[in-house]
Amino acid sequence: MSDSSPEHPAHPVVLDVWCELQCPDCRTALDDVRALRARYGDRVDLRLRHFPLEKHKHSFAAAQAAEEAFEQGKGWPYVEAVLAGVEELDRRGEPFLLDTARELGLDVEEFDTALIDGRHILIVDADQAEGKAIGVTGTPTYVIDGERLDGGKSQEGLRERVEEITDRLLAAEGS
C-alpha cells in the first residue's frame, strides 16, 4: 500500500551527498545536511554517497564503516560522529572508527569483521566510480535532479540552491 499523503510522498526527492569522512569541508556541510533533513523530513531521500580521496588514508575504511553503521540502523548518527572527530580519525584511524561505533551502541565486533572482510568495499567502489563518471572531483558535492552542486571549493549559497530545486520538485509533484 503506498501512502502518498504530503507527509509520505510516493516519490521523495533524491538528494545525493557525495562525502568523504576525513574531509573537514564535509564536517562543515553537516549543518546544511541537518537543516535539510529537518526541513523536508521523509519528503527528501538524503543519500550518503562515498567519495574517499587518496590524500586521506583512513577515508576508505571510514566509508566502509559508515556502510556498516547504515546496515546496523545508525548510519547518519555514525557519519555525524565520525565527521565531528575528523582530526582524531586522522590520528587514530580504524581504532577511532570502532570506538565511535561502540559509543553509539553498535555491534563493534561486526564492525571489525566488516572492515576485515571488506563486505562493503563494492558499494564504496561503485559510489566512487559513479562520482568520477558524473564529474565529482571533491567533497562535499550535492546532486539533485541531475544538477551537480560542488561544495568542495565553497559552500556559500549551496543549501539555498538545494532548497530551491527541492521546493520546485516537490511543488511539481504536488506535495
Side-chain angles (χ1 to χ4, degrees):
M1 181 181 101
S2 75
D3 173 10
S4 57
S5 65
E7 293 79 38
H8 301 283
H11 305 289
V13 171
V14 173
L15 172 60
D16 283 335
V17 182
W18 299 84
C19 183
E20 199 246 39
L21 297 186
Q22 208 175 336
C23 169
D25 289 335
C26 287
R27 176 174 54 197
T28 307
L30 263 185
D31 288 339
D32 287 344
V33 169
R34 280 191 202 105
L36 291 166
R37 276 211 316 258
R39 176 170 176 170
Y40 296 109
D42 63 3
R43 293 179 302 155
V44 171
D45 180 11
L46 202 61
R47 300 191 308 190
L48 177 72
R49 305 300 298 274
H50 302 289
F51 202 75
L53 302 169
E54 277 177 28
K55 65 181 178 181
H56 293 139
K57 65 177 185 245
H58 303 300
S59 61
F60 195 78
Q64 293 176 70
E67 280 304 312
E68 182 58 31
F70 275 103
E71 204 155 279
Q72 292 190 31
K74 288 194 177 168
W76 281 109
Y78 185 81
V79 166
E80 292 192 18
V82 171
L83 281 170
V86 163
E87 293 83 3
E88 205 173 342
L89 176 59
D90 267 342
R91 265 195 324 276
R92 295 182 52 220
E94 287 189 22
F96 170 71
L97 296 173
L98 298 174
D99 286 348
T100 304
R102 187 175 294 110
E103 284 163 21
L104 289 171
L106 296 166
D107 183 338
V108 179
E109 280 184 31
E110 201 56 40
F111 255 81
D112 198 29
T113 305
L115 289 173
I116 292 166
D117 72 16
R119 68 183 73 159
H120 303 298
I121 285 177
L122 288 176
I123 292 170
V124 177
D125 281 347
D127 274 3
Q128 198 169 29
E130 185 181 333
K132 284 179 180 164
I134 63 169
V136 174
T137 55
T139 57
T141 295
Y142 301 94
V143 176
I144 181 166
D145 195 35
E147 189 168 338
R148 191 179 74 241
L149 306 168
D150 184 358
K153 294 172 188 68
S154 165
Q155 295 176 46
E156 194 64 43
L158 266 191
R159 185 170 92 207
E160 293 76 10
R161 186 74 190 109
V162 169
E163 288 173 349
E164 275 172 34
I165 296 168
T166 303
D167 289 343
R168 185 185 76 227
L169 293 170
L170 289 171
E173 201 176 273
S175 49

